[in-house]
């Protein structure tokens, strides 16, 4: 009778290989960590729903704040938030994608310049938001003369999310197989066309991941916007007007306004809903890009 199979690199205890228990322990740890994260999210979402769902209705979404935000709605706050986010994405995403393409497709890999840029991006990604707020106030509000405005806030947020967009886009472009580049070069396709028509659609999941991370950070920022976009809660007429973001509105209601907690929870629920809608739209765009992705065959 042949000897029992001995699994490579593993000792056996009875009839069960050691690596089976290690694999089971690792899977259990991963599932436990996932369930813990989901549980914390559901707990936070349930608390916000329980305290804020009763405040959210059509009047809350379409009316202006009253009595320092204790009553009324958040219509100007939503408009200001969307405008700040549009400015930030419109500046950060094209610039970040172009920088990522430069680093991954044109720059010499492993060179001193690439390493220097990568180190600078890593440092910028860890800079506290209050530092970006002070920089945005000094540079955009004062030196450029934009004052407290939606444009100043959006440009400051663009500086904050730019390292995230660049790093994720660069990683996504590097993960595209080199065979696609070589095939395009063999057909006489220019490098710029290869990047736009082949590599960027193939890297769409990474691009969307970076965009979603950037949107999440931008919409949750408070300190940076206090020093740049301001506190004004009226309806903005243009990006040059001051505007209050939802995160700043929640902070003000909870910290500075007595009796503002109910509307703060309602505003937090709207903020989560906006994040879900924007991220869903980003995923839909990514799926559209993947549908047009060239096949390996």
């Amino acid at each position: 009778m042949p000897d029992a199979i001995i699994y490579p690199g593993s000792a056996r205890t009875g009839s069960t290989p050691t690596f089976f228990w290690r694999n089971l322990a690792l899977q259990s740890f991963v599932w436990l960590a996932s369930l813990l994260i989901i549980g914390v999210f559901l707990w936070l979402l349930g608390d916000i729903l329980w305290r804020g769902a009763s405040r959210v209705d059509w009047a809350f979404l379409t009316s202006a704040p009253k009595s320092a935000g204790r009553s009324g709605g958040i219509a100007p706050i939503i408009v200001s938030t969307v405008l700040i986010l549009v400015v930030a994405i419109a500046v950060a995403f094209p610039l970040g994608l172009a920088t990522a393409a430069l680093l991954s497709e044109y720059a010499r890999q492993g060179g001193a310049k690439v390493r220097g840029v990568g180190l600078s991006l890593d440092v910028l990604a860890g800079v506290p938001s209050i530092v970006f707020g002070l920089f945005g106030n000094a540079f955009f509000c004062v030196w450029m003369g934009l004052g407290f405005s939606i444009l100043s806030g959006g440009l400051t947020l663009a500086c904050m999310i730019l390292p995230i967009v660049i790093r994720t886009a660069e990683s996504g472009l590097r993960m595209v197989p080199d065979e696609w580049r070589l095939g395009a070069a063999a057909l006489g396709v220019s490098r710029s066309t290869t990047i736009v028509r082949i590599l960027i659609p193939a890297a769409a999941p990474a691009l969307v991941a970076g965009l979603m991370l950037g949107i999440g950070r931008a919409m949750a920022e408070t300190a940076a916007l206090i020093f740049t976009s301001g506190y004004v809660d009226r309806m903005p007429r243009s990006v040059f007007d001051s505007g209050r973001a939802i995160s700043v509105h929640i902070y003000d209601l909870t910290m500075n306004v007595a009796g503002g907690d109910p509307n703060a929870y309602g505003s937090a629920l709207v903020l989560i809903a906006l994040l879900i809608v924007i991220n869903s739209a980003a995923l839909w765009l990514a799926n559209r890009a993947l549908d047009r992705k060239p096949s390996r065959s």
Side-chain angles (χ1 to χ4, degrees):
M1 184 173 180
D3 296 336
I5 298 175
I6 304 299
Y7 292 87
S10 64
R12 298 195 60 175
T13 303
S15 61
T16 305
T18 304
F19 77 88
F20 171 79
W21 294 108
R22 293 177 180 174
N23 186 51
L24 181 62
L26 180 60
Q27 289 183 356
S28 301
F29 175 78
V30 171
W31 276 104
L32 181 62
S34 301
L35 292 175
L36 180 62
I37 294 173
I38 295 174
V40 172
F41 170 74
L42 292 177
W43 174 64
L44 291 174
L45 182 61
D47 182 65
I48 294 174
L49 282 170
W50 179 53
R51 298 174 182 268
S54 61
R55 306 292 298 183
V56 179
D57 53 19
W58 183 247
F60 184 76
L61 298 175
T62 58
S63 61
K66 300 177 182 177
S67 183
R70 296 183 186 89
S71 59
I74 58 170
I77 312 299
I78 295 176
V79 174
S80 298
T81 303
V82 172
L83 289 176
I84 292 172
L85 190 61
V86 168
V87 171
I89 294 175
V91 174
F93 191 71
L95 183 59
L97 185 56
T99 305
L102 176 64
L103 293 174
S104 63
E105 305 300 322
Y106 290 95
R108 184 172 64 87
Q109 303 304 314
K113 293 182 179 179
V114 173
R115 293 198 305 270
V117 172
L119 179 61
S120 301
L121 293 174
D122 294 338
V123 172
L124 284 175
V127 172
S129 59
I130 187 68
V131 177
F132 279 102
L134 294 174
F135 164 77
N137 180 271
F139 185 73
F140 297 118
C141 297
V142 179
W143 191 79
M144 293 188 64
L146 298 177
F148 286 91
S149 63
I150 291 173
L151 185 59
S152 296
L155 292 174
T156 303
L157 291 186
C159 296
M160 292 184 61
I161 67 177
L162 194 58
I164 301 174
V165 174
I166 293 175
R167 275 308 198 185
T168 52
E170 182 185 3
S171 299
L173 291 173
R174 292 187 190 277
M175 290 176 64
V176 178
D178 288 335
E179 289 80 1
W180 293 10
R181 298 176 176 85
L182 297 176
L187 293 173
V189 180
S190 65
R191 181 174 292 185
S192 59
T193 303
T194 301
I195 294 173
V196 174
R197 305 297 289 272
I198 299 177
L199 301 185
I200 290 180
L207 302 181
V208 172
L211 183 62
M212 291 169 62
L213 289 173
I215 290 173
R217 183 174 185 186
M219 293 194 69
E221 279 305 325
T222 303
L225 295 178
I226 290 177
F227 292 101
T228 53
S229 62
Y231 262 97
V232 176
D233 58 2
R234 66 172 180 267
M235 183 67 71
R237 293 170 295 179
S238 69
V239 294
F240 296 100
D241 284 348
S242 178
R244 177 187 294 193
I246 292 184
S247 57
V248 177
H249 187 62
I250 296 171
Y251 168 80
D252 187 56
L253 289 177
T254 55
M255 300 300 295
N256 301 325
V257 178
D261 287 349
N263 272 10
Y265 277 103
S267 302
L269 186 58
V270 173
L271 177 60
I272 294 176
L274 281 176
L275 280 172
I276 293 175
V277 170
I278 294 173
N279 288 340
S280 299
L283 289 174
W284 179 78
L285 292 175
N287 291 332
R288 289 288 301 275
L290 287 175
D291 290 339
R292 297 193 299 267
K293 185 175 72 173
S295 62
R296 291 178 182 268
S297 60

